[in-house]
Amino acid sequence: HKLHPIAAQDLTRVLRVAESVTAPRQTVRGADGRARELLMFCSNDYLGLAAHPALADAFTEGVRLYGAGSGASHLISGHGLAHERLELALAQWLSPQIPNAQALSFCTGYMANLGVLSALGDAEADIFSDELNHASLIDGTRLAKAQVKRYPHKDMVALQALLASSRAKVKLIVTDGVFSMDGDLAPLDELLALAEVHDAWLIVDDAHGLGVLGAQGRGTLAHFGLRSERLILIGTLGKAAGVAGAFVAAHPTITQYLLQAARTYIFTTASPPAVAHAVLKSLELMRSSEGDARRTNLVRLQAQLRAGIERLLHEHPHLGWQLVSSDSPVQPLIIGENAATMQLAARLDAVGLRVPGIRPPTVPKGTARLRITLCATHTEADIERLLQALSEAAAELS
Ligand code: PMP
């Protein structure tokens, strides 16, 4: 009786099995048991590093050096040389944005968000949270003992009023850097200015900006040219970095406290050291001229996609589709209704294109959408093929 209402609202989620490496062309087995090669517009492997031979080599070398598993949590005996080296490299990479930064490893971004918000958001704190923040940040605020004040998406006037009326000893502003379902950027310059005026910390979850934006791929903080000890950065390493894991980079007072208090850090087995060893290689690639070349290609593809969709919407205004203004490789196309969105995704799937339909509760009701994500390893011809398929669907629906 719990599944029926989900199905009745066209909200049933289905699992597919990827049978080949993560790449724009991937063999995927669907619910019908059939495996097909699809052109994928859905991974968060923005720089196309997940299948990079140098990372596979580093991973293998890491396993040879350190074995398969870490054997214990960080504070018992699981914290290895590779974790330590990675934390030092991450802190150094991000030091232009966060002076004196220290980094602390977490197994996943989800766990980092739960750990940071539940530890820092104690009963003495108020948390100010953008309404479109990622589910893992929302879950973190649910675990926190702090009072949680949600502000309308990027509404700095509303946030200012909430901060001004807060009497809390500790104030935590929390936001996605790049919003995961909309692809737009948080106004981090304005957020940091407010944090300074109101003596607040600014926690930025840069899952979709790290590796992609800013000098050397240092993310949304670098994109805005920010530099402050008030910044607490949460980065995931399974997206643009192409591997797995996550970290928090912040002033040592924060990271040292998290080491004592973040339960998702303390009470879990440290990730395999080989993962950290592979991420070290990935960090080297992201910072290098190869990383720059990949980012340049990505920006070119983003512009091509955007211009193509704008043309399409101009030709078919009555469909009511809407392009969300995005500054990242996450490009949503809002369709509206759940069923119409899933039918369009199925149509694309039928011609060999995988573009996920995203429905409530992941996005607000009535804004179901195709979430197109691009990788540096897509080609112009790939984008053209997607635009052509969308254009044929639009013509048929008109
Ligand atoms: N934050 C954001 C904004 C995300 O999109 C995601 C992943 N979807 C996460 C955190 C969680 O990161 P991880 O996949 O490393 O758990």
Side-chain angles (χ1 to χ4, degrees):
H1 74 282
K2 299 234 189 223
L3 284 172
H4 287 311
I6 299 176
Q9 295 173 72
D10 293 307
L11 288 174
T12 304
R13 301 171 190 261
V14 295
L15 204 51
R16 298 167 181 81
V17 179
E19 296 191 345
S20 62
V21 293
T22 300
R25 275 176 193 68
Q26 195 170 29
T27 304
V28 178
R29 176 156 39 86
D32 59 2
R34 208 156 51 97
R36 289 180 303 149
E37 187 186 271
L38 296 175
L39 180 55
M40 312 289 274
F41 291 97
C42 48
S43 95
N44 303 315
D45 176 30
Y46 302 119
L47 296 183
L49 293 181
H52 198 295
L55 288 194
D57 286 348
F59 219 136
T60 319
E61 184 182 68
V63 172
R64 255 190 255 111
L65 285 169
Y66 306 114
S70 70
S73 62
H74 281 278
L75 288 166
I76 302 299
S77 64
H79 189 68
L81 196 55
H83 296 112
E84 182 186 50
R85 286 192 177 142
L86 177 60
E87 288 176 351
L88 288 171
L90 288 167
Q92 193 250 336
W93 184 43
L94 295 162
S95 61
Q97 270 56 65
I98 311 175
N100 308 311
Q102 260 188 1
L104 195 65
S105 311
F106 282 78
C107 290
T108 69
Y110 192 102
M111 292 170 74
N113 285 345
L114 294 193
V116 168
L117 290 176
S118 60
L120 302 182
D122 62 13
E124 293 188 326
D126 276 354
I127 297 178
F128 304 86
S129 173
D130 189 292
E131 66 179 348
L132 293 191
N133 278 347
H134 187 257
S136 55
L137 289 174
I138 295 170
D139 290 355
T141 65
R142 287 181 181 151
L143 277 179
K145 301 232 163 44
Q147 280 220 26
V148 181
K149 311 193 173 191
R150 290 207 320 166
Y151 57 90
H153 186 45
K154 299 199 289 193
D155 186 336
M156 293 301 104
V157 176
L159 174 59
Q160 143 88 37
L162 288 172
L163 284 163
S165 66
S166 167
R167 295 284 156 264
K169 218 162 149 187
V170 176
K171 301 186 186 82
L172 306 166
I173 304 171
V174 57
T175 182
D176 282 16
V178 175
F179 286 88
S180 58
M181 292 302 139
D182 291 72
D184 58 334
L185 308 190
L188 291 186
D189 46 351
E190 294 174 60
L191 284 164
L192 182 59
L194 281 178
E196 267 155 15
V197 170
H198 296 276
D199 192 20
W201 295 93
L202 176 57
I203 303 174
V204 180
D205 172 355
D206 209 19
H208 301 276
L210 206 77
V212 172
L213 297 174
Q216 291 187 331
R218 288 198 304 267
T220 318
L221 302 181
H223 173 85
F224 281 99
L226 304 187
R227 177 174 173 80
S228 169
E229 293 190 342
R230 294 179 182 281
L231 293 164
I232 300 174
L233 176 75
I234 302 166
T236 62
L237 300 166
K239 299 185 196 280
V243 189
F247 67 93
V248 176
H251 189 271
T253 53
I254 296 288
T255 46
Q256 288 309 308
Y257 181 64
L258 291 174
L259 186 80
Q260 308 303 323
R263 296 171 67 83
T264 57
Y265 179 82
I266 299 167
F267 297 110
T268 194
T269 302
S271 64
V275 170
H277 192 72
V279 174
L280 268 167
K281 186 71 199 175
S282 161
L283 187 54
E284 196 183 305
L285 289 172
M286 286 196 290
R287 300 174 72 162
S288 70
S289 56
E290 178 172 348
D292 286 338
R294 285 173 185 247
R295 280 184 286 276
T296 304
N297 198 34
L298 196 51
V299 168
R300 210 167 41 78
L301 296 170
Q302 280 165 220
Q304 184 194 350
L305 176 67
R306 221 182 143 68
I309 297 183
E310 270 165 6
R311 232 174 8 252
L312 181 79
L313 298 190
H314 187 70
E315 282 164 18
H316 303 278
H318 48 280
L319 286 176
W321 294 356
Q322 273 177 286
L323 188 65
V324 176
S325 163
S326 153
D327 304 296
S328 71
V330 178
Q331 180 58 70
L333 175 59
I334 295 187
I335 309 300
E337 290 312 312
N338 298 345
T341 306
M342 298 322 281
Q343 279 155 15
L344 183 55
R347 240 194 108 95
L348 295 174
D349 187 275
V351 295
L353 302 169
R354 167 101 174 102
V355 185
I358 309 284
R359 295 159 286 179
T362 309
V363 293
K365 237 181 168 161
T367 71
R369 63 194 65 184
L370 295 182
R371 179 177 181 269
I372 305 164
T373 57
L374 299 179
C375 300
T377 39
H378 277 119
T379 64
E380 269 175 48
D382 292 339
I383 311 292
E384 217 32 68
R385 199 175 138 200
L386 172 61
L387 289 169
Q388 184 62 33
L390 282 172
S391 163
E392 281 164 19
E396 218 166 278
L397 291 168
S398 293

